[in-house]
Amino acid sequence: MRNILLICKKELKSYFASPIAYLLMAFFGLIFGFGFFTATRDFVRFSFQSQMMGQQQPMNVNDQIIRPLLGFASTIALFLVPMISMRLIAEEKRTGTIELLLTSPIKDIEIILGKWLGAVLLFTCVLGMSMLNVAMLFAWGKPDLKPVLVAYLGLILQGACLLAIGTFISTTTRNQIVAGGVTFFVCLLLWLLSWFTAFDSGPASQVVNYISIVTHFENFSKGVLNLKDVVFYLSMIFFSLFITSRAMESVRWRS
Amino acid sequence: MEPNLSSRLTKIMIKVEGLSKRYARNVAVDDISFEVNKGQIVGFLGPNGAGKTTTMRILTCFMPPSAGKATVAGFDVMEQPFEVKKRIGYLPEVPPLYPEMEVGEYLHFVGKLKGIPKGDLAKRVKEVSEKVNVAEVSNKLIGKLSKGFRQRVGLAQAIIHNPDVLILDEPTAGLDPKQILETRQLIRSLAGDHTIILSTHILSEVEHSCERVIIISQGKLVAQDSVANLTNRLRGAESVSLEVEAADGRPNPTEVQGRLEQVAGVSRVMMKDSKDGRLTFEVESLQGRHIRAELARSVVNSGWNLSELRAVGLSLEDIFLQLTTAETKEVGGQK
């Protein structure tokens, strides 16, 4: 445990020592802020209109601003994840520092968990930028807190899951760009899988639907905490980190 | 560790038996066996690509061997890698440094990684920084350091947990002559407390810092001896090649050999060749004796013709080349 935290701390430090952490936070904050601005403006305009026309349609901040916005954030996460995970192990392999880690009295799985945890924490920090905007809604409106928390949990779980896959891909190469590119394609593919099942409900598409990472986020974004989805994410994380540790072993055998 | 085991192990620190490492298409290390005693500095010598780094990586538990056994301080690298790793300090060819860290921060990180207790950490970092002379740059980013300083930080990283065994892969590669001298001094000062294996393809390096040499070439061990023995064998003694012709065209090999052996200062006479009535001998002298003049006189006085007399090259370089090229040719021929 001590070793995991040690590696995790080192990872976080090197993220924040390089521009990458600040860049991602600024980038995400800007895009999310833009989405927030548009969504809120439209919401306000729409609620004015409906009042003027005397309609008493219920307006809901949760449903009409937060939910689509966090869904949007889950899509942006697909772009963030490769940028965070690509360097994790590929860089250590390229610079040779992997030799230090692998010849120290520390287990492979501790290295992997530490690195993955560092990446998840950075992802959470980046995601945290969106809270600036969401906090405004709480300051001037009365949204429900619980569904927001559930949605954030979903975002973090989804990110952690994709990051675990990214960690695995980063282990297989010494080239960061390759690691990042492949991770991006895999993320994209897992996202596209949900399209496949949009108008079909045969057994094959049910399986595909289950594998798609994004479909599991939908429940979270509605504020529904479903055990099935949590189990899906956790088992994906476990599986990815497990094959990462296998890949690490092959690094030892082959390099 | 039980006492009788530890006492049995006090002498031999590293033991390698029949070690091999095969990749899909080539063999990096082929059936190497050697032992290193406690407190020794051993030079691991070989041309580039001979398998030095691979052997070191196996010893440091970075990679497992394909066959054979290696133990460090009595612990098997396959069975108890944790115990081995705790006792080994390793400086790879490229020092494993994080450019975005400060020197002090990096040494703290490595110290924790190697399992130094929190209370001792600051003290150890300070000691080690002073030992390798990096205390003055401890607040600098590693990425901004010069090559010499990086190498020293790499060395600090290897000795921070005070390991029994130090494995240094080409510790002076790429340094300038002054830095090379400093590094050698540093390595020598570490001997005694630590058992050191250092690899190099530069011979003078071995002469300067090591007590024993292990020469490998193309994955095979071709020689191991103490540096003193090797240099004596190779440099102190003289080896002469001479060609003798009999006046009647039919020299008697045993007679010539006998006569040569009687020359003062000769330690060994070997007949190499006999062709068209010409006999070729290789004669080795005793330590520090010059025998060429005596040999010539003896041959001529016996009524034979001396058609050639030359000193065979005897520098460490020559022997090294001989060992690393001729031997492999021989092996290839046997197959």
Side-chain angles (χ1 to χ4, degrees):
Chain A
M1 196 60 207
R2 176 177 171 255
N3 289 333
I4 297 175
L5 290 180
L6 178 67
I7 301 279
C8 170
K9 224 169 93 185
K10 186 224 117 204
E11 279 315 307
L12 269 184
K13 258 190 197 162
S14 62
Y15 276 126
F16 281 96
S18 71
I20 183 80
Y22 305 101
L23 225 80
L24 289 179
M25 284 165 84
F27 167 72
F28 178 75
L30 210 71
I31 291 188
F32 190 87
F34 179 73
F36 176 80
F37 172 74
T38 321
T40 327
R41 187 197 60 189
D42 291 351
F43 179 80
V44 171
R45 197 176 281 168
F46 188 59
S47 65
F48 267 133
Q49 271 174 5
S50 68
Q51 267 178 4
M52 301 249 266
M53 289 158 81
Q55 289 170 334
Q56 284 302 310
Q57 258 184 2
M59 299 293 289
N60 186 322
V61 179
N62 274 90
D63 277 352
Q64 275 159 305
I65 300 183
I66 298 180
R67 206 179 122 196
L69 266 182
L70 292 184
F72 177 52
S74 93
T75 312
I76 304 177
L78 299 178
F79 295 85
L80 293 177
V81 162
M83 284 190 257
I84 294 176
S85 72
M86 65 181 193
R87 57 169 286 282
L88 279 177
I89 290 163
E91 193 183 26
E92 305 249 10
K93 280 171 83 173
R94 191 180 54 81
T95 59
T97 44
I98 192 86
E99 284 193 74
L100 170 66
L101 297 180
L102 292 187
T103 59
S104 293
I106 161 173
K107 293 194 194 86
D108 287 5
I109 193 69
E110 290 176 321
I111 300 172
I112 294 162
L113 279 174
K115 284 185 165 284
W116 170 75
L117 202 63
V120 171
L121 287 182
L122 175 69
F123 179 79
T124 311
C125 285
V126 173
L127 214 58
M129 293 301 286
S130 66
M131 287 199 202
L132 284 178
N133 295 326
V134 176
M136 285 184 209
L137 291 180
F138 279 93
W140 284 288
K142 280 196 224 67
D144 262 352
L145 179 62
K146 235 165 69 192
V148 176
L149 290 181
V150 171
Y152 268 108
L153 176 71
L155 276 177
I156 292 171
L157 275 174
Q158 187 201 321
C161 176
L162 293 174
L163 283 169
I165 296 170
T167 312
F168 165 67
I169 293 166
S170 184
T171 314
T172 58
T173 174
R174 55 169 51 217
N175 187 328
Q176 284 192 50
I177 307 294
V178 171
V182 174
T183 309
F184 179 65
F185 274 110
V186 171
C187 288
L188 215 57
L189 201 69
L190 287 172
W191 184 55
L192 287 181
L193 282 182
S194 62
W195 292 15
F196 181 71
T197 60
F199 302 106
D200 188 24
S201 58
S205 66
Q206 268 177 5
V207 170
V208 172
N209 195 37
Y210 185 77
I211 296 170
S212 171
I213 291 221
V214 185
T215 50
H216 290 273
F217 176 68
E218 259 161 36
N219 282 333
F220 283 101
S221 77
K222 286 175 200 151
V224 179
L225 190 56
N226 197 331
L227 184 67
K228 196 180 84 179
D229 302 320
V230 177
V231 167
F232 170 80
Y233 282 133
L234 290 182
S235 54
M236 278 293 273
I237 291 169
F238 178 81
F239 174 70
S240 300
L241 294 181
F242 174 73
I243 55 173
T244 309
S245 78
R246 299 275 94 182
M248 201 74 134
E249 212 154 291
S250 107
V251 168
R252 282 178 187 277
W253 280 96
R254 286 182 302 148
S255 65
Chain B
M1 210 160 42
E2 55 202 275
N4 69 334
L5 186 64
S6 71
S7 63
R8 192 150 52 80
L9 294 169
T10 43
K11 237 180 122 40
I12 294 168
M13 204 56 177
I14 299 170
K15 189 169 181 174
V16 172
E17 287 170 283
L19 204 67
S20 297
K21 175 74 190 176
R22 280 182 289 277
Y23 292 110
R25 277 180 207 84
N26 58 336
V27 180
V29 174
D30 192 2
D31 196 19
I32 281 185
S33 303
F34 62 88
E35 283 175 7
V36 179
N37 288 346
K38 198 176 171 187
Q40 260 186 343
I41 308 189
V42 173
F44 219 50
L45 198 59
N48 290 326
K52 299 180 298 247
T53 301
T54 306
T55 312
M56 293 184 147
R57 282 181 164 178
I58 293 171
L59 283 176
T60 52
C61 308
F62 178 75
M63 56 165 62
S66 315
K69 234 182 99 163
T71 55
V72 174
F75 297 102
D76 191 297
V77 293
M78 286 289 272
E79 318 265 316
Q80 293 155 299
F82 253 64
E83 297 301 321
V84 173
K85 286 174 181 178
K86 275 186 210 158
R87 289 166 177 77
I88 276 194
Y90 177 39
L91 173 62
E93 207 169 342
V94 181
L97 306 173
Y98 295 103
E100 73 273 9
M101 283 191 188
E102 288 169 7
V103 173
E105 184 191 355
Y106 171 74
L107 291 178
H108 269 93
F109 169 69
V110 177
K112 283 187 206 157
L113 204 59
K114 303 284 180 187
I116 297 176
K118 235 184 188 151
D120 303 340
L121 192 58
K123 204 181 102 219
R124 271 308 291 169
V125 169
K126 195 161 165 276
E127 274 173 21
V128 165
S129 314
E130 275 161 16
K131 198 160 199 170
V132 303
N133 268 326
V134 293
E136 51 184 304
V137 293
S138 75
N139 289 325
K140 264 195 170 179
L141 281 178
I142 290 176
K144 305 267 180 208
L145 292 181
S146 68
K147 173 102 185 150
F149 268 117
R150 280 185 206 198
Q151 197 72 18
R152 278 191 244 170
V153 175
L155 210 52
Q157 163 273 128
I159 61 177
I160 193 156
H161 53 306
N162 206 6
D164 294 335
V165 176
L166 255 182
I167 294 193
L168 313 172
D169 199 352
E170 310 221 345
T172 58
L175 298 180
D176 69 34
K178 189 165 162 276
Q179 292 166 334
I180 290 180
L181 279 178
E182 284 170 2
T183 311
R184 278 183 195 154
Q185 261 166 15
L186 193 63
I187 291 170
R188 265 203 302 268
S189 75
L190 293 171
D193 304 342
H194 311 271
T195 307
I196 303 178
I197 295 189
L198 67 89
S199 83
T200 175
H201 58 268
I202 305 160
L203 286 148
S204 59
E205 182 123 341
V206 170
E207 287 181 276
H208 282 109
S209 9
C210 306
E211 295 157 20
R212 226 157 62 83
V213 195
I214 293 167
I215 301 181
I216 63 171
S217 166
Q218 304 204 340
K220 288 189 190 322
L221 193 140
V222 292
Q224 58 170 325
D225 210 337
S226 72
V227 174
N229 275 354
L230 214 60
T231 33
N232 274 349
R233 201 171 107 203
L234 312 174
R235 190 166 275 163
E238 196 176 23
S239 170
V240 179
S241 159
L242 79 172
E243 212 173 86
V244 179
E245 246 176 347
D248 58 359
R250 289 187 171 276
N252 182 346
T254 34
E255 199 191 337
V256 180
Q257 184 151 4
R259 190 64 56 83
L260 291 175
E261 274 165 357
Q262 281 164 17
V263 174
V266 168
S267 73
R268 202 153 65 113
V269 180
M270 276 179 305
M271 186 155 102
K272 284 282 185 197
D273 202 6
S274 132
K275 217 184 332 183
D276 306 334
R278 288 177 182 192
L279 301 173
T280 314
F281 291 94
E282 198 169 300
V283 181
E284 279 179 22
S285 77
L286 290 172
Q287 204 51 50
R289 297 287 284 266
H290 297 286
I291 52 169
R292 268 179 279 176
E294 276 296 319
L295 279 175
R297 205 170 301 135
S298 160
V299 169
V300 174
N301 285 349
S302 310
W304 300 309
N305 294 336
L306 181 64
S307 47
E308 191 188 311
L309 176 73
R310 69 187 159 86
V312 179
L314 279 174
S315 65
L316 200 49
E317 267 82 3
D318 281 324
I319 272 293
F320 175 65
L321 282 178
Q322 236 176 40
L323 287 171
T324 52
T325 52
E327 291 263 337
T328 48
K329 227 182 276 164
E330 237 171 67
V331 170
Q334 276 168 6
K335 272 181 190 167

